[in-house]
Amino acid sequence: MSQIVITVVVNVAGALAAGTPDHHIVMIDNNKAAGSLHEATDHLHTAVREGDTLVWVVTSLECETYAAITALSVPDDVCEVRCETYPDTAVTYWVGTVKKAVTAPVPYGLTFALGSSLYTLPTSPNCALIEAQPIVVPEAAA
């Protein structure tokens, strides 16, 4: 079991101007060694195993703008998600537990609150959870 952090960077001004966060977000995770694909795009495919803990965090490209994930749509039979709040703050993040092995890509979508008027904008379900590959550790040179 691993903890996999998925970081979402949002160009809030671009998303609000376009009316969609699609093509205005960049996503990365810390599981490339297990096979995550499409790092630094808006269609990250995160490699997961049964029992993994996923943590989604969001930040705004522009430091003076607000961005938060307000909903995460992933099939309940694959990943159980919940919103949590950092202690003594109003800053939220999402946590998920992978409930079963993933053998085919499982698409999911994110919904954001963006800007001072808190527009709620959903993404297309371009992101996915995919099957993790074995991590091969090279033997140390003798």
Side-chain angles (χ1 to χ4, degrees):
M1 295 190 306
S2 297
Q3 179 172 307
I4 302 164
V5 178
I6 301 166
T7 302
V8 183
V9 180
V10 183
N11 175 346
V12 174
L16 291 174
T20 177
D22 290 341
H23 309 295
H24 297 282
I25 64 174
V26 173
M27 301 175 67
I28 57 173
D29 69 31
N30 63 337
N31 209 25
K32 188 170 181 122
S36 290
L37 303 170
H38 312 301
E39 295 274 344
T41 70
D42 64 352
H43 55 279
L44 176 68
H45 286 60
T46 297
V48 299
R49 292 183 177 83
E50 182 177 354
D52 283 350
T53 299
L54 308 176
V55 180
W56 285 266
V57 295
V58 65
T59 189
S60 172
L61 183 62
E62 309 89 0
C63 64
E64 68 280 359
T65 57
Y66 176 77
I69 298 170
T70 57
L72 218 156
S73 60
V74 61
D76 290 338
D77 64 322
V78 175
C79 187
E80 182 178 327
V81 297
R82 67 190 179 281
C83 184
E84 296 193 0
T85 304
Y86 289 106
D88 302 319
T89 74
V91 179
T92 59
Y93 60 98
W94 287 75
V95 177
T97 303
V98 179
K99 295 165 64 173
K100 67 180 185 179
V102 174
T103 56
V106 177
Y108 70 89
L110 302 164
T111 301
F112 296 94
L114 301 176
S116 60
S117 55
L118 300 183
Y119 289 103
T120 301
L121 298 173
T123 63
S124 299
N126 296 330
C127 310
L129 304 179
I130 61 172
E131 182 178 12
Q133 302 303 309
I135 299 174
V136 178
V137 179
E139 292 184 32

